[in-house]
Amino acid sequence: MVQPVFVNLPVADVPRATAFYETIGCTMNRQFSGPTASAMVWSEALTFMLLDRAFFQTFTPRAVADASAVTEVLIALPLADRAAVDALVDKAVAGGGSGDIHPVQDMGFMYGRSFTDPDGHIFEPFHMDMAAAAAAMEAAADPV
């Protein structure tokens, strides 16, 4: 059974954020969306809840981070292959985000890039060849 995860993100402009998340492939769940929030479904297991900053503040007694100034979370998204990683970063940039905020990671068995949404939340799409990763870890552990 899939256990869904809801990642709540404070945003400055719900319609602008909604449009960005649609650009990167999410679909809106209208049942949980309205003027102060958009439920953007990435997969059966993951939904991004885009909450107006003032609405987000009602859920916590702590200050709400400004993701354009500080890093509050890194959201890693596993993808099917390198081409999918590249395509997602291209979509993010086309939708108003910033691409490759740090150098591309290419370790052979793992390939990753990064982007931010318009509010500064950091995403790290990646592809990992699990068989090659296991072999690399095994080789690193074997002192011979």
Side-chain angles (χ1 to χ4, degrees), residues 22-43:
E22 287 173 335
T23 298
I24 65 167
C26 293
T27 57
M28 182 192 289
N29 179 337
R30 294 195 184 283
Q31 180 180 5
F32 300 109
S33 300
T36 59
S38 284
M40 302 305 294
V41 179
W42 172 260
S43 70

Side-chain angles (χ1 to χ4, degrees), residues 1-138:
M1 180 177 164
V2 174
Q3 294 292 327
V5 174
F6 293 82
V7 176
N8 297 284
L9 299 171
V11 300
D13 182 326
V14 173
R16 177 188 72 177
T18 300
F20 174 83
Y21 282 79
E22 287 173 335
T23 298
I24 65 167
C26 293
T27 57
M28 182 192 289
N29 179 337
R30 294 195 184 283
Q31 180 180 5
F32 300 109
S33 300
T36 59
S38 284
M40 302 305 294
V41 179
W42 172 260
S43 70
E44 181 180 0
L46 179 59
T47 297
F48 298 108
M49 292 298 301
L50 309 176
L51 307 176
D52 174 85
R53 291 184 64 80
F55 184 48
F56 187 98
Q57 184 67 70
T58 67
F59 293 96
T60 180
R62 297 180 180 179
V64 176
D66 176 355
S68 66
V70 299
T71 300
E72 84 282 34
V73 66
L74 301 172
I75 304 168
L77 299 172
L79 298 173
D81 53 39
R82 290 171 175 248
V85 171
D86 292 338
L88 182 56
V89 174
D90 291 347
K91 288 177 185 176
V93 171
S98 297
D100 294 319
I101 62 165
H102 56 70
V104 173
Q105 299 174 6
D106 190 347
M107 297 177 229
F109 63 87
M110 187 174 90
Y111 175 73
R113 293 181 63 188
S114 59
F115 67 86
T116 65
D117 70 6
D119 289 282
H121 301 105
I122 301 171
F123 291 80
E124 297 183 329
F126 71 96
H127 168 69
M128 185 177 306
D129 178 331
M130 295 306 286
M137 289 192 304
E138 186 176 309

